């Protein structure tokens, strides 16, 4: 078992103990902060794995197209399917960072950890991802402005498929973007893991302090009851 998965399991175990109510702005409304943190860490791991699989598929088709010096029409369905998965994955990853920012804001408000830096890093990650995608699209003659929404992106991909040159441009862009997304998601994974541990430690420490105080209060009440009042 890899260290990241072990860490997630450890955080999951903590979440079963630290049942702290969260705002209904995370991935699942009504989840506790620890549950949301674990859900978000699990999601980013899954997205990173999906990105690696997609990149391998893009690279395989790209190598075939290079050997043929073009992208045959019969190969296009594989490419378009991978492109749709890539576009959806980018949208999911960006949505995850927004959910994680909400969780971080709630933890910061309640426990005073991470501050604005973590939320700023997540926002910057989104900005960097968008910028790198735009650069890749422009490099291969594709209009970045036409990829502002998932539907617009899919429409432009479909339009490009009408010519051999367009198909090759989209394949090249998809291959580059998928490789870039792997690196970006692996970096995001590490950032979320580090900050998730900080958040869990703060929640655990707060719960331990409250439990200790409750025990002290109970001992005081038990002593008072035993002594009686005259």
């Amino acid at each position: 078992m890899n260290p990241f998965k072990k860490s997630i399991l450890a955080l999951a175990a903590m979440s079963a103990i630290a049942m702290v109510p969260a705002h209904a702005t995370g991935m699942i409304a009504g989840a506790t902060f620890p549950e949301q943190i674990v859900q978000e860490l699990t999601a980013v791991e899954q997205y990173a794995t999906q990105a690696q699989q997609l990149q391998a598929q893009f690279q395989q088709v790209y190598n075939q197209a290079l050997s043929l010096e073009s992208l045959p029409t019969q190969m296009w369905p594989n490419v378009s399917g991978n492109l749709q998965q890539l576009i959806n994955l980018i949208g999911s990853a960006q949505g995850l960072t927004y959910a994680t920012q909400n969780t971080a804001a709630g933890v910061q408000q309640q426990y005073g950890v991470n501050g604005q830096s973590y939320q700023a890093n997540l926002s910057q990650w989104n900005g960097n991802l968008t910028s790198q995608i735009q650069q890749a699209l422009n490099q291969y003659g594709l209009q970045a402005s036409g990829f502002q929404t998932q539907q617009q992106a899919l429409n432009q991909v479909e339009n490009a498929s009408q010519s051999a040159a367009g198909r090759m441009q989209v394949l090249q862009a998809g291959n580059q973007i998928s490789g870039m997304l792997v690196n970006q998601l692996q970096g995001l994974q590490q950032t979320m893991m580090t900050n998730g541990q900080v958040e869990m430690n703060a929640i655990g420490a707060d719960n331990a302090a409250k439990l200790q105080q409750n025990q002290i209060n109970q001992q005081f009440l038990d002593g008072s009851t035993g002594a009686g009042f005259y």
Side-chain angles (χ1 to χ4, degrees):
M1 183 179 297
N2 62 60
F4 184 80
K5 191 172 291 290
K6 286 182 179 178
S7 297
I8 287 183
L9 290 175
L11 291 176
M14 290 181 64
S15 72
I17 301 173
M19 301 301 289
V20 183
H23 301 293
T25 53
M27 299 184 68
I28 298 179
T32 67
F33 280 130
E35 288 170 341
Q36 285 183 188
I37 293 168
V38 171
Q39 290 162 7
E40 290 158 3
L41 289 172
T42 301
V44 73
E45 182 187 27
Q46 292 172 343
Y47 294 161
T49 299
Q50 290 176 31
Q52 289 176 317
Q53 294 170 344
L54 272 176
Q55 203 280 325
Q57 293 168 9
F58 270 112
Q59 189 63 51
Q60 181 179 14
V61 176
Y62 181 65
N63 291 340
Q64 292 174 340
L66 286 180
S67 66
L68 297 171
E69 298 183 355
S70 67
L71 180 63
T73 305
Q74 59 267 29
M75 292 176 62
W76 178 248
N78 291 336
V79 176
S80 62
N82 289 340
L83 286 166
Q84 182 163 355
Q85 291 182 56
L86 180 62
I87 291 167
N88 292 339
L89 180 57
I90 290 170
S92 296
Q94 291 179 322
L96 173 63
T97 62
Y98 297 136
T100 305
Q101 286 181 66
N102 287 333
T103 301
V107 173
Q108 178 198 355
Q109 182 179 13
Q110 189 160 341
Y111 301 98
V113 296
N114 276 338
Q116 298 294 326
S117 60
Y118 182 29
Q119 298 165 59
N121 287 341
L122 292 169
S123 179
Q124 184 180 17
W125 185 89
N126 258 326
N128 290 342
L129 179 64
T130 300
S131 176
Q132 291 186 38
I133 290 173
Q134 291 174 341
Q135 291 175 13
L137 293 172
N138 291 334
Q139 179 180 345
Y140 294 106
L142 300 169
Q143 296 298 318
S145 60
F147 283 77
Q148 296 303 309
T149 68
Q150 291 185 354
Q151 189 57 52
Q152 287 176 326
L154 292 172
N155 289 341
Q156 188 167 167
V157 166
E158 184 59 32
N159 292 336
S161 71
Q162 303 307 311
S163 69
R167 290 193 295 272
M168 196 63 184
Q169 286 175 325
V170 171
L171 173 58
Q172 289 172 316
N175 187 47
Q176 182 170 327
I177 291 171
S178 64
M180 174 270 296
L181 186 60
V182 170
N183 294 331
Q184 287 289 317
L185 282 171
Q186 287 175 343
L188 178 64
Q189 187 175 347
Q190 292 302 318
T191 297
M192 290 176 60
M193 188 71 237
T194 299
N195 285 275
Q197 189 67 64
V198 171
E199 291 170 337
M200 283 294 205
N201 288 343
I203 294 171
D206 184 81
N207 283 354
K210 289 178 178 177
L211 179 61
Q212 183 179 27
Q213 186 59 53
N214 288 339
Q215 290 174 339
I216 293 173
N217 292 342
Q218 188 61 49
Q219 290 172 356
F220 174 79
L221 292 174
D222 291 344
S224 299
T225 301
F229 293 95
Y230 299 97

